Amino acid sequence: MSGLTRVVSVTIGPEPGPRLDKALARAVPEAEAISRTRLAKLIPAGAVTLNGAVLTDPKAKVVEGDVVTITVEESAEVETVAEDIPLDIIHEDEDLIVVNKPAGMVVHPAPGSPSGTLVNALLHHFGGKLSGVGGEKRPGIVHRIDKDTSGLLVVAKSDRAHHGLAAQFADHSMEREYLALCHGAPDGADPRLRGVKGVSFEGSTVKITTQLARHKTDRQRQAVLFTGGRHAVTRVRVVEAHGPVSLVSCRLETGRTHQIRVHMSHAGHALIGDQTYGGRRRVSAKVPGAEKLNAFPRQALHAATLGFVHPVTKEFLSFEAPLPDDFRDLLAALT
């Protein structure tokens, strides 16, 4: 430990729940990098106070408007280590690598997940044969996908590739298509959907246009706005309809945190398995495959297609990744 400390103050939002630990997990901003696991240790250690009184019971009750302070002792910087973790490599050359990331793998090390990440695996794969990004021999992460989302990522191996790929993400010229299983079927003939603010139609494609920003009271979520925040556009098309569940194609014009998940929820078509944005929504037991659908442990979302101009050769590259086994099993259960 470095001996340095910082004090984080958070205001408990509405409907905080019955326990201190769960209320703090929602209220602490993601930027503070205090994981739920870390909070679980800080509370009994006496690092959390309310109005000067130390709270050591994770089950202590707090109410909306309470200002809670957390004293965090900073850990010394830990060098990211190479780890021998298998990778599904779709393409690799001198400047970049395209990987099919499995669900459950975090992209970049963070306080709550310092190891077992894609970056740890890439460092081992490169074995020191890395030209470097930003003056350091490290992979250049130009975009991320959620831990529990599977699919394609491109990572820069050199500064020249990093700058070129980042520019394509910035000007929205990179092609990205996701496949998802959602509740219902986004259909322009649905009068309910036509009444949802931010939803428009391009033939059979549903276009969702909003602003996105971090939720005011639950810092682990994103929220739809129409003023402020960051511009976000998702285009959705039904690929296969299976009664109350549909396989949909989602194309990103922008790439915001949780964009597809929050947009689909806003439209009333939350993703199967999405506990954050789907709430407790369930498929009727009468539907074929309902048991598997309702028990699916992650959002049913897969980054299936990735296309971009190679930043060095200027050749257009396009890649596809097949659906992972758990996703295919869901589709098979439906049919």
Side-chain angles (χ1 to χ4, degrees), residues 103 150-151 298 301-302 321-329:
S150 57
R298 67 179 183 91
L301 183 61
H302 175 67
L323 289 171
D325 291 344
D326 62 346
F327 201 130
R328 285 206 309 271
D329 287 346

Side-chain angles (χ1 to χ4, degrees), residues 39-324:
L39 281 170
K41 295 177 180 178
L42 288 170
I43 295 170
V48 176
T49 63
L50 171 62
N51 299 326
V54 175
L55 302 175
T56 58
D57 181 3
K59 298 180 181 179
K61 185 176 180 180
V62 290
V63 298
E64 180 180 354
D66 278 347
V67 178
V68 179
T69 60
I70 309 165
T71 301
V72 185
E73 188 174 3
E74 299 283 27
S75 301
E77 286 294 325
V78 178
E79 182 180 357
T80 304
V81 298
E83 295 183 70
D84 187 3
I85 302 171
L87 288 171
D88 182 6
I89 298 170
I90 306 300
H91 169 85
E92 183 175 11
D93 58 41
E94 184 180 349
D95 292 285
L96 56 84
I97 185 169
V98 177
V99 176
N100 181 19
K101 185 190 82 68
M105 175 182 272
V106 175
V107 172
H108 199 280
S113 50
S115 61
T117 72
L118 178 63
V119 169
N120 295 109
L122 288 172
L123 286 173
H124 180 273
H125 171 73
F126 296 143
K129 298 176 182 177
L130 190 62
S131 58
V133 174
E136 300 178 19
K137 290 195 172 182
R138 60 182 177 86
I141 303 297
V142 292
H143 67 129
R144 305 184 189 193
I145 55 179
D146 297 338
K147 173 185 176 182
D148 290 326
T149 298
S150 57
L152 295 171
L153 280 149
V154 58
V155 179
K157 296 169 62 177
S158 65
D159 267 330
R160 59 183 182 176
H162 190 267
H163 292 155
L165 290 170
Q168 291 181 63
F169 275 100
D171 65 16
H172 312 310
S173 61
M174 193 164 285
E175 295 183 3
R176 286 171 291 167
E177 180 187 21
Y178 289 69
L179 292 175
L181 274 176
C182 72
H183 290 276
D187 186 347
D190 179 1
R192 181 204 60 80
L193 187 58
R194 287 189 169 272
V196 175
K197 188 174 182 180
V199 171
S200 59
F201 302 90
E202 298 173 338
S204 61
T205 296
V206 177
K207 181 180 179 182
I208 307 171
T209 306
T210 73
Q211 306 294 110
L212 293 181
R214 196 165 300 285
H215 197 282
K216 287 183 178 180
T217 58
D218 187 347
R219 307 302 288 177
Q220 309 303 316
R221 302 176 61 193
Q222 297 291 308
V224 165
L225 305 174
F226 292 95
T227 57
R230 305 180 72 190
H231 183 62
V233 180
T234 307
R235 288 178 171 83
V236 185
R237 176 179 56 83
V238 175
V239 178
E240 297 174 1
H242 299 278
V245 178
S246 296
L247 176 68
V248 294
S249 161
C250 300
R251 290 188 175 272
L252 293 178
E253 182 174 311
T254 56
R256 311 304 183 200
T257 301
H258 298 178
Q259 179 176 318
I260 290 173
R261 297 165 62 192
V262 69
H263 266 175
M264 292 298 288
S265 178
H266 172 69
H269 296 283
L271 302 191
I272 294 294
D274 192 340
Q275 299 302 312
T276 302
Y277 298 101
R280 298 183 179 181
R281 190 168 179 178
R282 296 291 182 267
V283 174
S284 167
K286 298 178 181 179
V287 175
E291 186 175 351
K292 282 190 175 183
L293 289 164
N294 290 331
F296 199 61
R298 67 179 183 91
Q299 62 267 10
L301 183 61
H302 175 67
T305 303
L306 180 65
F308 56 89
V309 175
H310 193 292
V312 178
T313 68
K314 305 306 177 185
E315 176 188 5
F316 181 77
L317 303 176
S318 183
F319 305 98
E320 295 184 4
L323 289 171

